[in-house]
Amino acid sequence: QKYGTGLFGGRENRTGRVLVLTERGLVRAEKFLRFPEGEQWDKRALDAVRGVPWDAGSKRALGAGALRKGDCEAAFAHLTDAVRAAPYGCPWAWFRLGCAAMRLRRWDRARKAFAEVVRQEPDDGEAWANLAGVYARVGRGPQALNAAKQATRYAEHNFKVWDNLIAIALQCGKLGDAVFAMHRLLDLRRGSGG
C-alpha cells in the first residue's frame, strides 16, 4: 500500500525507518507526513489499534507517547505489555512504567518497576530517588532511607535528591543523616552561586 494513516510510533534505531501503528499492526515506512498539531493524537485511532498484537518495541513507543501526552492509563497498559514481552535490556521502559504507576497511585507497581530499573542499571540515581519516594509514600521508612542514600550516591550533584534525603531522614528520625544532607545541600548551593 502506497499511502495509509496511523499513529506515529517512533523510528527504528538501526535503519531510521518510521514505525506507524495501524489497525492491521505495525507498519515500517521510509517516509511519513504528520497531520496538523491538533490532529496528531486521535483517541479513536488509538482505540482502534488497542488490542492489536505488537512487539515490545512498538508497545514501548506507544507507552512513551501516551505518557508524553498525559494519558497515564494507556501508558501504563502499553508499558506493562512491553516489559512483559521483553523484560531485559530496556530499563527506560521500566522507568516510564514506574512514572505512569506513580501518577496513577499504583504504588506497588511503581515500586516493582523502579526496583527493576535499579537492578538493571544500579547507578541510575533518578530511579533510586523515585524508588525512595515510593517507599516513603507507602510508609516503608528504612527502605526509603536506603534508596535515598543510593540516589545521592549516583546523582550527587542533584539538589532534589539531597532535599529528598533530608525529608526522608527526618521522617525516619535519623537526624545525623538529615544534618549531613543539609550540609551537602548547602555546599552544592554555594558551589552553584545560589
Side-chain angles (χ1 to χ4, degrees), residues 74-98:
F76 184 84
H78 291 305
L79 292 165
T80 297
D81 290 346
V83 300
R84 187 178 300 126
Y88 307 108
C90 198
W92 68 263
W94 285 101
F95 187 91
R96 288 182 175 152
L97 175 60

Side-chain angles (χ1 to χ4, degrees), residues 150-170:
Q150 291 295 325
T152 62
R153 179 178 175 195
Y154 297 113
E156 64 182 314
H157 298 292
N158 184 329
F159 294 95
K160 289 181 183 181
V161 298
W162 291 101
D163 206 31
N164 288 341
L165 178 57
I166 294 167
I168 291 169
L170 289 173

Side-chain angles (χ1 to χ4, degrees), residues 19-40:
L19 301 174
V20 181
L21 309 170
T22 72
E23 292 180 41
R24 295 180 320 277
L26 178 68
V27 176
R28 290 170 176 86
E30 298 298 324
K31 296 181 183 179
F32 74 104
L33 297 173
R34 288 185 183 250
F35 286 114
E37 184 70 31
E39 300 173 31
Q40 288 181 6

